[in-house]
Amino acid sequence: MKYFILFGPPGAGKGTQAGAMKQRYNLCHLSTGELLRSEIASGSELGLKAKALIEAGNLVPDEVVEGMIEERFRKTTGVDGFLLDGFPRTIAQAEALDLILGKNGKKVTAVVSIMIPDELIGERIAHRATIEGRADDASPEIVQNRINTYHAKTEPLVDFYRKDGRYHEIDGVGSIEEVQKRIFDLMDRF
Ligand code: ADP
């Protein structure tokens, strides 16, 4: 089993690229953002708790997403690996992931990081807001808070994974096809 982490700031194009990656490598795509949005849509207790945090541009508690991921690892069959999208998002989550995988003698295969400059983040999210209607895309203040949260809590993961050579950066500026080719060229090596 391979465990890929799809990393990058909000709006980097993770969701856009994930579909093709999942198909080419027979991976289960686990997006914590999508899992949380479906909890909200179903009106579950977890969804109710997550809603306010997400819509303010804050993170939900580590334990919540860790539990969701562990459950999916357990229940998913028939794939060659997982594509983690939006997880881990904090150092604590990365440590928890290592523990969860370590229990089964597994480890993160590679981090595929799609990088775009901050100026592009706002532009891409503003565009997505006109298409998808996500509550957390709706106002520039919330988007700015997500960018700040990314720099403060998520960006430290770059060093965390770089230290042991699992971190691989892709330039996320360019057409969808151009970025996809860069990703495939990298992932074909694993
Ligand atoms: P994006 O990558 O565009 O910021 P996501 O769909 O990945 O959006 O996530 C949307 C929101 O869901 C995040 O801003 C956060 O509130 C919550 N969320 C998603 N994944 C996590 C996580 N691993 N830890 C904590 N909160 C998360």
Side-chain angles (χ1 to χ4, degrees):
M1 285 294 255
K2 291 177 184 154
Y3 296 87
F4 291 104
I5 295 173
L6 184 53
F7 186 84
K14 300 188 292 282
T16 304
Q17 297 294 343
M21 298 163 80
K22 163 186 149 165
Q23 271 206 322
R24 185 176 174 97
Y25 304 104
N26 187 31
L27 306 171
C28 168
H29 174 216
L30 287 182
S31 157
T32 41
E34 269 172 30
L35 291 172
L36 289 165
R37 282 189 289 279
S38 71
E39 289 288 340
I40 295 175
S42 77
S44 70
E45 198 180 322
L46 193 160
L48 283 177
K49 280 193 204 144
K51 189 176 189 318
L53 289 165
I54 291 176
E55 292 181 0
N58 296 319
L59 297 181
V60 305
D62 291 332
E63 313 78 68
V64 171
V65 284
E66 288 160 15
M68 292 193 322
I69 290 287
E70 196 165 14
E71 192 195 344
R72 301 289 152 144
F73 280 167
R74 235 188 354 256
K75 288 192 177 158
T76 307
T77 54
V79 294
D80 295 323
F82 289 87
L83 182 61
L84 302 178
D85 168 1
F87 178 89
R89 234 182 178 92
T90 62
I91 296 278
Q93 290 176 19
E95 289 169 346
L97 176 62
D98 279 346
L99 274 179
I100 294 169
L101 295 180
K103 276 194 277 186
N104 301 304
K106 305 276 198 295
K107 63 188 183 71
V108 171
T109 308
V111 178
V112 180
S113 172
I114 308 181
M115 275 304 153
I116 58 166
D118 276 10
E119 310 87 75
L120 254 190
I121 299 178
E123 246 175 65
R124 292 219 184 146
I125 291 182
H127 173 68
R128 182 169 73 190
T130 65
I131 303 170
E132 293 182 16
R134 271 172 54 172
D136 59 345
D137 284 346
S139 90
E141 291 76 26
I142 296 169
V143 171
Q144 189 55 51
N145 190 34
R146 285 164 57 204
I147 296 173
N148 296 345
T149 303
Y150 168 77
H151 286 305
K153 306 221 166 117
T154 307
E155 208 163 48
L157 289 175
V158 172
D159 277 340
F160 182 92
Y161 287 114
R162 202 173 247 150
K163 264 190 226 137
D164 57 10
R166 287 180 290 179
Y167 181 82
H168 305 272
E169 201 164 285
I170 298 280
D171 179 4
V173 182
S175 69
I176 293 177
E177 294 72 24
E178 281 163 349
V179 177
Q180 185 185 99
K181 177 164 190 316
R182 290 174 202 145
I183 294 176
F184 286 173
D185 285 347
L186 167 68
M187 288 178 75
D188 281 354
R189 291 165 30 202
F190 296 102

